[in-house]
Amino acid sequence: MAPFAEYVVGSTVAVTVFYTAASALFWGVTGRAKWPFVRLARHLEAARERRLPPHEPIPPVLLGLELRRLGAEMQRIDASDLPAKAMRLRATTAAYDYVLLECCRSLEVPVPDKSDPVNTPLTSDQRFTAESSLLAAGFTW
């Protein structure tokens, strides 16, 4: 093979390997696969879901205890002067919202509409609606 052809083949292989490694690293860090690997990611995720045991729901009593703990933690953070107070409060509120929605689902109470259930927190109106619905269903925490 001519030296130029070896250079072209070697460069193409190097770029392909580098792009594949960078895409795999991106997928591992963010959980989102890049364009050529989306089908592979879906296939691997489906295979992983088939191997995992079915999700057991958490008893509502434990969810109530967790809601009480997170509510107290939000009040503690709000009253403190810790560094990164806003970030701590945001993370605790996101955890509270997640547990609140889990509690609504386990008790079959209507869940407030959300566009993105993972990345966006509940608005104060949605949170109030969910809490009111749980209280109306007889659930206390």
Side-chain angles (χ1 to χ4, degrees), residues 6 12 41 51 71 74 96 100 110 127 129-130 135:
E6 289 177 4
T12 305
R51 284 182 294 167
M74 286 179 4
Y96 182 86
L100 187 68
R127 193 175 300 112
T129 302
L135 289 172

Side-chain angles (χ1 to χ4, degrees), residues 79-136:
S80 72
D81 289 333
L82 294 170
K85 180 177 175 179
M87 185 60 74
R88 291 172 195 262
L89 195 57
R90 202 165 135 201
T92 308
T93 303
Y96 182 86
D97 291 346
Y98 179 80
V99 174
L100 187 68
L101 292 176
E102 275 294 312
C103 198
C104 286
R105 287 185 198 101
S106 70
L107 294 175
E108 297 177 0
V109 173
V111 177
D113 293 330
K114 284 182 60 174
S115 59
D116 185 4
V118 176
N119 295 327
T120 57
L122 292 174
T123 64
S124 58
D125 292 338
Q126 290 172 329
R127 193 175 300 112
F128 179 76
T129 302
E131 291 171 343
S132 300
S133 299
L134 285 173
L135 289 172

Side-chain angles (χ1 to χ4, degrees), residues 18-50:
F18 177 76
Y19 181 76
T20 304
S23 296
L25 181 64
F26 180 80
W27 181 19
V29 171
T30 64
R32 294 186 323 246
K34 289 201 170 261
W35 168 74
F37 305 106
V38 171
R39 289 184 63 190
L40 174 65
R42 286 185 189 144
H43 178 69
L44 291 174
E45 184 67 25
R48 186 177 75 80
E49 290 294 326
R50 283 190 302 268

